[in-house]
Amino acid sequence: MPVPVVPPDLVRAQENAAVDLVPIHPVADELAVRFAAAGHRLYLVGGSVRDALLSQISSRATEQTDLDFTTDAHPPAVLAVLEGWAEAVWDTGIAFGTVGARRHGTTVEITTFRADAYDRVSRNPVVAFGETIDDDLVRRDFTVNAMAVELTGGEQGRDRRFVDPHGGLAALAAGTLDTPATPEESFADDPLRMLRAARFVSQLGLTPAPRVVAAMTAMAGELARITKERVQVELTKLVLGRHPRRGIELLVDTGLCEYVLPEVPAMRLAIDEHMQHKDVYTHSLVVLEQAIDRETAGPDLVLRLAALLHDIGKPATRRKESDGRVSFHHHEVVGAKLTRKRLRDLRYSKAVIDEVTQLVFLHLRFHGYGTGEWTDSAVRRYVTDAGPLLDRLHALVRSDSTTRNRRRAAALQRSYDSLEQRIAALRAQEELDAIRPDLDGNAIMQLLGVPPGPLVGKAYRYMLALRMERGPLGAEEAEAELRRWAAENGIG
């Protein structure tokens, strides 16, 4: 990207102003003194500088507990500087020139100037140390991450200097995401940077430069070189960002989503059954935003993924009915299967897979009861099937109402209010969150005189269904019901 020529005096004034905007953590000051004493230069760099400047520009305070530095010192010299100062040191990244340390609860990573080359087949660089800070900054992913503050300048090693050869500060102020080198060169080196671009759109609210979007579109297929684990990490950060809809839209518009969540762009083919939305894809993005508005304890990965994926079964179940309307019967069942398969492929944890899949499977359960009165047995089954996901299910179902018909929207919310009131009333009467049969397995075996085996499980399931239907029975009634069931099934 060409950088406009600026008079030297103006450059210095801008650098001074920028330095004043970056609060320097006390740990960084301590580290700078030690590097200067050893005759080395030390720069605060990357996300540490970006986030500090962004907090000043947006007036959104951020606390820095992780600091990134770059230096002209090679790893053995870095280890020598840290000796006796750091409370803990780790060298797992030393092959890439990185040494980690901790001091007073703050984590620091110090990396020797890099001037790597890439083989354009894998994303693993051939590590090469650079000679200058400019060598290091030009290889970084985006201009907003290619800024640095030198902490060891001047004769006493205490002067600070802002280094921004690629216009990162101006890009940050303008809300623009661009690359130091050409985006084609940057993304060829590491295709994961295309997914990181969408992540920064979500996290920071930046708008990608047209040339970045064009390169992402042309090179989307290169993402296939990246391992599923790395893709999942970036996708998770994107989904948990402040503007995930914008990040998802960028992935879909550039074709990258075909290599991450192909079921999401596929929803553009299905018009929703109410004929109220452009397509199911747009509806799902609205549901995602509405679910975020209902979060009460910070970003919720499970809820957000469920909101985004809850209708991915619709394209496969789309049918045109005789009256001309479109239906998607059992799309929640198909969607749950697709969700489980996709999240497994992305190497999500079993807990995340199970919880998101269950929410997708249950998201239509409420609508299955229509607007009629909820019976006690229906409430018990709803709560039991949701289990610990009940609050998230409440949020998902309420968020799934995107109709523009205000009367219909209000009716749906009132109906769900009624359900929640029924749950609260029944919970006050029963142990609704831990429903068990009135007779456990031991009691069943003793009463029927049978050993452990499939018969006990069959009897247990019958008693559980009875408990769901009729509520607590009491010991005598439960025993009588079990004996009746045993007699009907020829069990002596």
Side-chain angles (χ1 to χ4, degrees), residues 147-209:
M147 299 178 286
V149 175
E150 183 177 6
L151 306 178
T152 52
E155 293 182 2
Q156 301 300 317
R158 297 299 298 272
D159 289 348
R160 295 170 184 167
R161 180 173 67 92
F162 184 64
V163 184
D164 182 20
H166 305 288
L169 179 59
L172 197 63
T176 300
L177 189 68
D178 207 342
T179 52
T182 67
E184 290 80 6
E185 182 180 1
S186 181
F187 299 156
D189 281 346
D190 184 359
L192 189 66
R193 289 174 174 176
M194 294 186 287
L195 197 51
R196 284 170 59 85
R199 189 246 288 186
F200 286 128
V201 167
S202 173
Q203 286 183 325
L204 306 178
L206 302 177
T207 299

Coordinates of all heavy atoms in Angstrom, one line a residue, residues 147-209:
M147 N 2.2 -1.4 14.0 CA 2.7 -0.2 14.7 C 3.5 -0.6 15.9 O 3.3 -1.7 16.5 CB 1.5 0.7 15.2 CG 0.6 1.2 14.0 SD -0.8 2.1 14.7 CE -1.8 0.8 15.3
A148 N 4.5 0.2 16.3 CA 5.3 -0.1 17.5 C 5.7 1.2 18.2 O 5.6 2.3 17.7 CB 6.6 -0.8 17.0
V149 N 6.0 1.0 19.5 CA 6.5 2.1 20.3 C 7.9 1.7 20.8 O 8.0 0.7 21.6 CB 5.6 2.4 21.5 CG1 6.3 3.5 22.4 CG2 4.3 2.9 21.0
E150 N 8.9 2.3 20.4 CA 10.3 2.0 20.9 C 10.4 2.6 22.3 O 10.1 3.7 22.6 CB 11.4 2.6 20.0 CG 12.8 2.2 20.5 CD 13.9 2.8 19.6 OE1 13.6 3.5 18.7 OE2 15.0 2.4 19.9
L151 N 10.8 1.7 23.2 CA 10.9 2.1 24.6 C 12.4 2.3 25.1 O 12.6 2.7 26.2 CB 10.3 0.9 25.5 CG 8.9 0.5 25.2 CD1 8.5 -0.7 26.0 CD2 7.9 1.6 25.3
T152 N 13.3 2.1 24.2 CA 14.7 2.2 24.6 C 15.5 3.2 23.8 O 16.7 3.0 23.5 CB 15.4 0.8 24.5 OG1 15.1 0.3 23.2 CG2 14.8 -0.2 25.5
G153 N 14.9 4.2 23.2 CA 15.6 5.2 22.4 C 16.3 6.2 23.2 O 16.2 6.3 24.4
G154 N 17.1 7.0 22.5 CA 17.9 8.1 23.2 C 19.1 7.6 23.9 O 19.4 6.5 24.0
E155 N 19.9 8.6 24.3 CA 21.2 8.3 24.9 C 21.0 7.5 26.2 O 21.8 6.7 26.6 CB 22.0 9.6 25.2 CG 22.4 10.3 23.9 CD 23.3 11.5 24.2 OE1 23.5 11.8 25.4 OE2 23.7 12.2 23.2
Q156 N 20.0 7.9 27.0 CA 19.8 7.2 28.3 C 18.9 5.9 28.1 O 18.7 5.3 29.1 CB 19.1 8.2 29.3 CG 19.9 9.4 29.5 CD 21.2 9.2 30.1 OE1 21.4 8.3 31.0 NE2 22.2 9.9 29.6
G157 N 18.5 5.6 26.9 CA 17.7 4.5 26.7 C 16.3 4.6 27.3 O 15.7 3.6 27.6
R158 N 15.8 5.8 27.4 CA 14.5 6.0 28.0 C 13.5 6.8 27.1 O 12.4 7.0 27.5 CB 14.6 6.7 29.4 CG 15.4 5.9 30.4 CD 14.7 4.5 30.7 NE 13.4 4.7 31.2 CZ 13.1 4.8 32.5 NH1 14.1 4.8 33.4 NH2 11.9 5.0 33.0
D159 N 14.0 7.3 26.0 CA 13.1 8.0 25.1 C 12.2 7.1 24.4 O 12.6 5.9 24.0 CB 13.9 8.8 24.1 CG 14.7 10.0 24.7 OD1 14.4 10.3 25.9 OD2 15.6 10.5 24.0
R160 N 11.0 7.6 24.1 CA 10.0 6.7 23.4 C 9.8 7.3 22.0 O 9.7 8.5 21.8 CB 8.7 6.7 24.2 CG 8.8 6.0 25.5 CD 7.6 6.1 26.3 NE 7.8 5.5 27.7 CZ 7.0 5.7 28.7 NH1 5.9 6.5 28.5 NH2 7.2 5.1 29.8
R161 N 9.6 6.4 21.0 CA 9.4 6.8 19.7 C 8.3 5.9 19.0 O 8.3 4.7 19.1 CB 10.7 6.7 18.9 CG 10.5 7.1 17.4 CD 11.9 7.1 16.7 NE 12.5 5.8 16.6 CZ 12.3 5.0 15.6 NH1 11.6 5.4 14.5 NH2 12.9 3.8 15.5
F162 N 7.3 6.6 18.4 CA 6.2 5.8 17.7 C 6.7 5.5 16.3 O 7.2 6.3 15.6 CB 5.0 6.7 17.6 CG 3.8 6.0 17.0 CD1 3.2 4.9 17.7 CD2 3.2 6.5 15.9 CE1 2.1 4.3 17.1 CE2 2.1 5.8 15.3 CZ 1.6 4.7 16.0
V163 N 6.5 4.2 15.9 CA 7.0 3.7 14.6 C 5.8 3.2 13.9 O 5.1 2.2 14.3 CB 8.0 2.6 14.8 CG1 8.5 2.1 13.4 CG2 9.2 3.0 15.7
D164 N 5.5 3.8 12.7 CA 4.3 3.5 12.0 C 4.5 3.7 10.5 O 4.0 4.5 9.9 CB 3.1 4.4 12.5 CG 1.8 4.0 11.8 OD1 1.7 2.9 11.2 OD2 0.9 4.9 11.8
P165 N 5.3 2.8 9.9 CA 5.7 3.0 8.5 C 4.6 2.7 7.5 O 4.7 3.1 6.3 CB 6.9 2.0 8.3 CG 6.7 1.0 9.3 CD 6.0 1.7 10.5
H166 N 3.5 2.1 7.9 CA 2.5 1.7 7.0 C 1.1 2.3 7.3 O 0.1 1.9 6.7 CB 2.3 0.1 7.0 CG 3.6 -0.6 6.8 ND1 4.2 -0.6 5.5 CD2 4.5 -1.2 7.6 CE1 5.3 -1.3 5.6 NE2 5.5 -1.7 6.8
G167 N 1.1 3.4 8.0 CA -0.1 4.2 8.2 C -1.1 3.5 9.1 O -2.4 3.6 8.9
G168 N -0.7 2.7 10.0 CA -1.6 1.9 10.9 C -2.5 2.8 11.7 O -3.7 2.5 11.9
L169 N -2.0 3.9 12.3 CA -2.7 4.8 13.1 C -3.9 5.5 12.3 O -5.0 5.6 12.8 CB -1.8 5.9 13.8 CG -2.5 6.9 14.7 CD1 -3.3 6.2 15.8 CD2 -1.5 7.9 15.2
A170 N -3.5 5.9 11.1 CA -4.5 6.6 10.3 C -5.6 5.5 9.9 O -6.8 5.9 9.9 CB -3.9 7.1 9.0
A171 N -5.2 4.3 9.6 CA -6.2 3.3 9.3 C -7.1 3.0 10.5 O -8.3 2.8 10.3 CB -5.5 2.0 8.9
L172 N -6.5 2.9 11.7 CA -7.3 2.7 12.9 C -8.3 3.8 13.1 O -9.5 3.5 13.4 CB -6.4 2.5 14.1 CG -6.9 1.9 15.3 CD1 -7.3 0.4 15.1 CD2 -5.9 1.9 16.5
A173 N -7.9 5.0 12.9 CA -8.7 6.2 13.1 C -9.9 6.2 12.1 O -11.0 6.6 12.4 CB -7.9 7.5 13.1
A174 N -9.6 5.7 10.9 CA -10.6 5.7 9.8 C -11.4 4.4 9.9 O -12.4 4.3 9.1 CB -9.9 5.8 8.5
G175 N -11.0 3.4 10.8 CA -11.8 2.2 10.8 C -11.5 1.3 9.7 O -12.4 0.5 9.3
T176 N -10.3 1.3 9.1 CA -10.0 0.6 7.9 C -9.0 -0.6 8.2 O -8.1 -0.4 8.9 CB -9.4 1.5 6.8 OG1 -10.3 2.6 6.5 CG2 -9.0 0.7 5.5
L177 N -9.3 -1.7 7.6 CA -8.4 -2.9 7.7 C -7.7 -3.1 6.4 O -8.3 -3.4 5.4 CB -9.2 -4.1 8.1 CG -8.4 -5.3 8.5 CD1 -7.7 -5.1 9.8 CD2 -9.3 -6.6 8.6
D178 N -6.3 -2.9 6.4 CA -5.5 -3.1 5.2 C -4.3 -3.8 5.6 O -4.0 -4.1 6.8 CB -5.3 -1.8 4.5 CG -5.0 -1.9 3.0 OD1 -4.8 -3.0 2.6 OD2 -5.1 -0.9 2.3
T179 N -3.5 -4.2 4.6 CA -2.3 -5.0 4.8 C -1.0 -4.1 4.5 O -1.1 -3.3 3.6 CB -2.2 -6.2 3.9 OG1 -2.5 -5.8 2.5 CG2 -3.3 -7.2 4.3
P180 N 0.1 -4.4 5.2 CA 1.3 -3.6 4.9 C 1.8 -3.9 3.5 O 2.1 -2.9 2.8 CB 2.3 -4.1 6.0 CG 1.5 -4.7 7.1 CD 0.3 -5.2 6.4
A181 N 2.0 -5.1 3.2 CA 2.3 -5.5 1.8 C 1.0 -5.6 1.0 O -0.1 -5.3 1.5 CB 3.1 -6.8 1.8
T182 N 1.1 -6.1 -0.2 CA -0.2 -6.3 -1.0 C -0.9 -7.5 -0.3 O -0.3 -8.4 0.3 CB 0.1 -6.7 -2.4 OG1 0.7 -8.0 -2.5 CG2 1.0 -5.7 -3.1
P183 N -2.3 -7.4 -0.3 CA -3.0 -8.5 0.4 C -2.8 -9.8 -0.3 O -2.8 -10.9 0.4 CB -4.5 -8.1 0.3 CG -4.5 -7.0 -0.8 CD -3.2 -6.3 -0.8
E184 N -2.5 -9.9 -1.6 CA -2.3 -11.1 -2.3 C -1.0 -11.8 -1.7 O -0.9 -13.0 -1.5 CB -2.1 -10.9 -3.8 CG -3.4 -10.6 -4.5 CD -3.8 -9.1 -4.4 OE1 -3.0 -8.3 -3.8 OE2 -4.9 -8.8 -4.8
E185 N 0.0 -10.9 -1.5 CA 1.3 -11.5 -1.0 C 1.1 -11.9 0.5 O 1.6 -13.0 0.9 CB 2.4 -10.4 -1.1 CG 3.7 -10.8 -0.6 CD 4.8 -9.7 -0.7 OE1 4.4 -8.6 -1.1 OE2 5.9 -9.9 -0.3
S186 N 0.4 -11.1 1.2 CA 0.2 -11.4 2.7 C -0.6 -12.7 2.8 O -0.2 -13.6 3.6 CB -0.5 -10.3 3.3 OG -0.7 -10.5 4.7
F187 N -1.7 -12.9 2.1 CA -2.6 -14.0 2.2 C -1.9 -15.3 1.6 O -2.2 -16.4 2.1 CB -3.9 -13.8 1.6 CG -4.7 -12.6 2.2 CD1 -5.7 -12.0 1.5 CD2 -4.4 -12.2 3.5 CE1 -6.4 -10.9 2.0 CE2 -5.1 -11.2 4.1 CZ -6.1 -10.5 3.3
A188 N -1.1 -15.1 0.6 CA -0.4 -16.3 0.1 C 0.6 -16.8 1.1 O 0.8 -18.0 1.2 CB 0.4 -15.9 -1.2
D189 N 1.3 -15.9 1.8 CA 2.2 -16.3 2.9 C 1.4 -17.1 4.0 O 1.9 -18.2 4.4 CB 2.8 -15.1 3.5 CG 4.0 -14.5 2.7 OD1 4.4 -15.2 1.8 OD2 4.4 -13.4 3.0
D190 N 0.2 -16.6 4.4 CA -0.5 -17.3 5.4 C -2.0 -17.1 5.2 O -2.6 -16.0 5.5 CB -0.1 -16.7 6.8 CG -0.8 -17.4 7.9 OD1 -1.6 -18.3 7.7 OD2 -0.6 -17.0 9.1
P191 N -2.7 -18.0 4.6 CA -4.1 -17.9 4.3 C -5.0 -17.7 5.5 O -6.1 -17.1 5.4 CB -4.5 -19.2 3.6 CG -3.2 -19.7 3.0 CD -2.1 -19.3 4.0
L192 N -4.5 -18.1 6.7 CA -5.3 -17.8 7.9 C -5.6 -16.4 8.1 O -6.5 -16.0 8.8 CB -4.6 -18.4 9.1 CG -5.4 -18.5 10.4 CD1 -6.6 -19.4 10.2 CD2 -4.5 -18.9 11.6
R193 N -4.7 -15.5 7.5 CA -4.9 -14.1 7.7 C -6.3 -13.6 7.1 O -6.8 -12.6 7.5 CB -3.8 -13.3 7.0 CG -2.4 -13.5 7.8 CD -1.3 -12.8 7.1 NE -0.1 -12.9 7.9 CZ 1.1 -12.5 7.5 NH1 1.3 -12.0 6.2 NH2 2.2 -12.5 8.3
M194 N -6.8 -14.3 6.1 CA -8.1 -14.0 5.5 C -9.2 -14.2 6.6 O -10.1 -13.3 6.7 CB -8.4 -14.8 4.3 CG -7.4 -14.5 3.1 SD -7.9 -15.4 1.6 CE -7.4 -17.1 2.0
L195 N -9.1 -15.2 7.3 CA -10.0 -15.5 8.4 C -9.8 -14.5 9.5 O -10.8 -14.1 10.2 CB -9.9 -16.9 8.9 CG -11.1 -17.5 9.7 CD1 -12.4 -17.3 9.0 CD2 -10.8 -19.0 10.0
R196 N -8.6 -14.1 9.8 CA -8.3 -13.1 10.8 C -8.9 -11.8 10.4 O -9.3 -11.0 11.3 CB -6.8 -13.0 11.0 CG -6.2 -14.1 11.8 CD -4.6 -14.1 11.7 NE -4.1 -12.9 12.3 CZ -3.8 -12.7 13.6 NH1 -4.1 -13.6 14.5 NH2 -3.3 -11.5 14.0
A197 N -8.9 -11.5 9.1 CA -9.5 -10.2 8.7 C -11.0 -10.2 9.1 O -11.5 -9.2 9.6 CB -9.4 -10.1 7.1
A198 N -11.7 -11.3 8.8 CA -13.1 -11.3 9.2 C -13.2 -11.2 10.8 O -14.2 -10.6 11.3 CB -13.8 -12.6 8.7
R199 N -12.3 -11.9 11.5 CA -12.3 -11.8 12.9 C -12.1 -10.4 13.4 O -12.8 -9.9 14.3 CB -11.2 -12.7 13.5 CG -11.3 -12.8 15.0 CD -10.1 -12.2 15.7 NE -8.9 -13.0 15.6 CZ -7.8 -12.7 16.2 NH1 -7.7 -11.7 17.0 NH2 -6.7 -13.4 16.0
F200 N -11.2 -9.6 12.8 CA -11.0 -8.2 13.2 C -12.2 -7.3 12.9 O -12.5 -6.4 13.6 CB -9.7 -7.7 12.6 CG -8.5 -8.2 13.3 CD1 -7.4 -8.7 12.5 CD2 -8.3 -8.2 14.6 CE1 -6.3 -9.2 13.1 CE2 -7.2 -8.6 15.3 CZ -6.2 -9.2 14.5
V201 N -12.9 -7.7 11.8 CA -14.1 -6.9 11.5 C -15.1 -7.1 12.6 O -15.8 -6.2 13.0 CB -14.7 -7.5 10.1 CG1 -16.1 -7.0 9.9 CG2 -13.8 -7.0 9.0
S202 N -15.2 -8.4 13.1 CA -16.1 -8.7 14.2 C -15.7 -8.0 15.5 O -16.4 -7.4 16.2 CB -16.3 -10.2 14.4 OG -17.0 -10.5 15.5
Q203 N -14.4 -8.2 15.8 CA -13.9 -7.8 17.1 C -13.8 -6.3 17.2 O -14.1 -5.7 18.3 CB -12.6 -8.4 17.4 CG -12.6 -9.9 17.8 CD -11.2 -10.4 18.1 OE1 -10.2 -10.0 17.6 NE2 -11.2 -11.3 19.1
L204 N -13.2 -5.6 16.2 CA -12.9 -4.2 16.3 C -13.8 -3.3 15.5 O -13.7 -2.1 15.6 CB -11.4 -4.0 15.8 CG -10.4 -4.9 16.4 CD1 -9.0 -4.7 15.8 CD2 -10.3 -4.6 17.9
G205 N -14.7 -3.9 14.7 CA -15.6 -3.1 13.9 C -15.0 -2.4 12.7 O -15.5 -1.4 12.2
L206 N -13.8 -2.9 12.3 CA -13.1 -2.3 11.1 C -13.8 -2.7 9.8 O -14.5 -3.7 9.7 CB -11.7 -2.7 11.1 CG -10.9 -2.4 12.4 CD1 -9.4 -2.9 12.3 CD2 -10.8 -0.9 12.6
T207 N -13.6 -1.9 8.8 CA -14.1 -2.2 7.4 C -12.9 -2.5 6.5 O -12.0 -1.7 6.4 CB -14.8 -1.0 6.9 OG1 -15.9 -0.6 7.7 CG2 -15.3 -1.3 5.5
P208 N -12.9 -3.7 5.9 CA -11.8 -4.1 5.1 C -11.7 -3.2 3.8 O -12.7 -2.9 3.2 CB -12.1 -5.6 4.7 CG -13.6 -5.7 4.9 CD -13.9 -4.8 6.0
A209 N -10.4 -2.9 3.5 CA -10.2 -2.1 2.3 C -10.7 -2.9 1.1 O -10.7 -4.2 1.1 CB -8.7 -1.8 2.1

